[in-house]
Each structure stands twice: as structure tokens, then as C-alpha cells.
Amino acid sequence: MSTAAPPAFRDRQRDPITTIGVDIGSTNTKVALLGLFEGSPRELGIRSFRTPDAPAELGRAVLAAIHGLTSTRPRSPVAVGIASMAESGVVLDDDARPVGPLVRWTAGASAPLFDAIDANALRDLAEATGVPATPKVPLATWHRLQLE
């Protein structure tokens, strides 16, 4: 009786099912290609670059990293997962087009507005939402953007 793996299994070792993971961080963005080997994921490649301020530039850079990781693979990844800065975002117009750069939580522009909020209101907000009231919370940034 042969103990060699069947051909389909051997092919899967050379050509595993793959996925892409994208982590859009405050400072750097990472794009990783993962393969599934015998039920366990393994990193096949990673690209990292400084997170650009312009949304279009970020999109182009992520796509270029994905292309660089996958262009020599025999088949496309089956899934893409994206994680990003939770307290950051992009303001869009009515047609869902970016109207400016990434709005980052690290900018600190909401801190003065936040500091002017009544302490009791901050406590009530934290109790109601379960989220500590800080200038980093998206609500403070959205309020600032609305005022601008």
C-alpha cells in the first residue's frame, strides 16, 4: 500500500487555496498573501508601505501590492479581508467620491472640541454606548467635520 499523497493533494501543496489580508494602519499598510496547507494557513508573501493620505493613492497602492503578491500564482485568491483604522475614514460627496484626504484619528484636531464638552455629557455618552468618551472616538471627529 502506497503512503504517497494523492495527486490532487500534492498539487494543492504547490498551488494552495489563497486569501489576501489587508491591514490599513495609521502609519503603514500591510498586504499579506496566505495559503492553506493541510488545513493550516501559512504566509506566502507580504508587502508593506506607508499609508498615503490620498484615498485614490491608497487604493492604487493596495492593488499594486495584491498584484505583486499574486501575479505569479496559478490562480486568484478566494477571499480578501480588510482591516483598517477604526477611528479614521474618508469624507464622501453625494456620488460616493472622496472629497479630501484620509481623516485620521491621530490628527488630534477634535481634541479642543472634545475638551469643551460637558463632563456629565461625556459620562452619559460612555454609559449609553459602552465606549470610553475620548477625542479618538469617531463621534468627536464627525461632529468636528460637520462644524467645518
Side-chain angles (χ1 to χ4, degrees):
M1 174 178 218
S2 172
T3 59
F9 184 77
R10 285 192 308 270
D11 290 344
R12 185 65 58 225
Q13 293 299 81
R14 287 190 300 271
D15 179 22
I17 293 171
T18 60
T19 63
I20 292 285
V22 180
D23 176 15
I24 303 169
S26 300
T27 304
N28 294 302
T29 294
K30 286 76 63 189
V31 179
L33 177 65
L34 304 171
L36 189 62
F37 294 89
E38 297 180 15
S40 297
R42 188 167 67 208
E43 184 182 293
L44 300 175
I46 192 163
R47 300 286 192 276
S48 180
F49 53 89
R50 184 147 184 83
T51 302
D53 289 327
E57 185 180 344
L58 175 60
R60 285 189 298 272
V62 168
L63 290 175
I66 290 171
H67 179 74
L69 290 166
T70 61
S71 62
T72 61
R73 307 290 317 170
R75 66 177 137 176
S76 299
V78 297
V80 176
I82 301 173
S84 67
M85 303 173 278
E87 298 84 7
S88 299
V90 176
V91 178
L92 303 175
D93 67 13
D94 291 339
D95 295 318
R97 289 185 303 245
V99 297
L102 292 175
V103 178
R104 299 170 188 257
W105 69 268
T106 54
S110 299
L113 177 64
F114 179 83
D115 291 340
I117 299 173
D118 178 72
N120 292 326
L122 292 174
R123 187 189 67 249
D124 292 347
L125 177 64
E127 287 177 11
T129 64
V131 177
T134 70
K136 183 177 165 181
V137 175
L139 183 60
T141 298
W142 294 339
H143 182 60
R144 177 182 57 82
L145 291 171
Q146 186 179 29
L147 294 175
E148 290 176 357

